């Protein structure tokens, strides 16, 4: 069983940085695609970044060049390094896991909405002020 817990959110000024962490138990990189998603009030949940079972990473176009997803050597913690934060990044950020590789997630819309992911943390709030 996978259990996820996010931390590291907070309030920062535009241009600032935050590093989100996701503590995972029952996690193995060989079996789980891991992802970060965000959802702001009144909007749909959207994909931010993923790291696959082989370590392959992808980030959404809106955060490309600013956000980086990674994991530690023990593979028990995921990270999302967020630089050059902007007000539009304000959202609740969630860590999520699937039971298989990202490469099997063929429906692009389902992927972007996180519908392939069955394990979720409770979220951590990120607020960026001008």
């Amino acid at each position: 069983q996978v259990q996820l817990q996010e931390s590291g959110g907070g309030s920062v000024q535009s241009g600032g940085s935050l590093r989100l962490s996701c503590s995972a138990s029952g996690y193995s990189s060989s079996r789980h695609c891991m992802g970060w998603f965000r959802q702001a009030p009144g909007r749909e949940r959207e994909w931010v970044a993923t790291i696959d079972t082989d370590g392959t990473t992808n980030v959404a176009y809106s955060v490309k060049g600013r956000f980086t997803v990674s994991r530690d050597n023990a593979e028990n913690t995921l990270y999302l390094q967020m630089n050059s934060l902007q007000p539009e990044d304000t959202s609740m950020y969630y860590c999520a896991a699937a039971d298989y590789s990202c490469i099997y997630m063929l429906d692009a819309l389902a992927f972007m909405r996180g519908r392939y992911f069955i394990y979720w943390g409770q979220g951590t709030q990120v607020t960026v002020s001008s």
Side-chain angles (χ1 to χ4, degrees):
Q1 291 289 331
V2 175
Q3 187 171 290
L4 308 174
Q5 178 66 59
E6 305 95 335
S7 62
S11 298
V12 297
Q13 297 178 11
S14 294
S17 296
L18 284 173
R19 188 196 195 200
L20 305 185
S21 298
C22 174
S23 178
S25 61
Y27 164 70
S28 171
S29 63
S30 67
R31 298 296 180 93
H32 302 281
C33 173
M34 305 291 296
W36 289 96
F37 295 80
R38 65 187 183 185
Q39 187 169 23
R43 293 204 277 277
E44 296 282 350
R45 180 170 59 200
E46 64 174 342
W47 166 66
V48 176
T50 41
I51 183 165
D52 207 354
T53 55
D54 65 352
T56 300
T57 61
N58 285 285
V59 299
Y61 178 81
S62 61
V63 303
K64 197 172 187 66
R66 301 188 297 120
F67 290 13
T68 303
V69 61
S70 62
R71 59 179 174 234
D72 67 9
N73 290 333
E75 299 181 345
N76 66 333
T77 305
L78 294 179
Y79 301 100
L80 185 67
Q81 179 65 48
M82 305 186 295
N83 299 324
S84 302
L85 283 161
Q86 302 171 27
E88 56 263 37
D89 296 316
T90 295
S91 274
M92 185 74 74
Y93 283 73
Y94 299 90
C95 176
D99 274 339
Y100 42 80
S101 170
C102 302
I103 66 174
Y104 298 111
M105 303 174 182
L106 302 181
D107 187 318
L109 182 58
F111 174 79
M112 289 186 288
R113 299 302 186 209
R115 294 171 190 160
Y116 288 108
F117 296 80
I118 62 174
Y119 308 105
W120 294 85
Q122 295 301 305
T124 185
Q125 179 67 39
V126 171
T127 303
V128 186
S129 60
S130 300

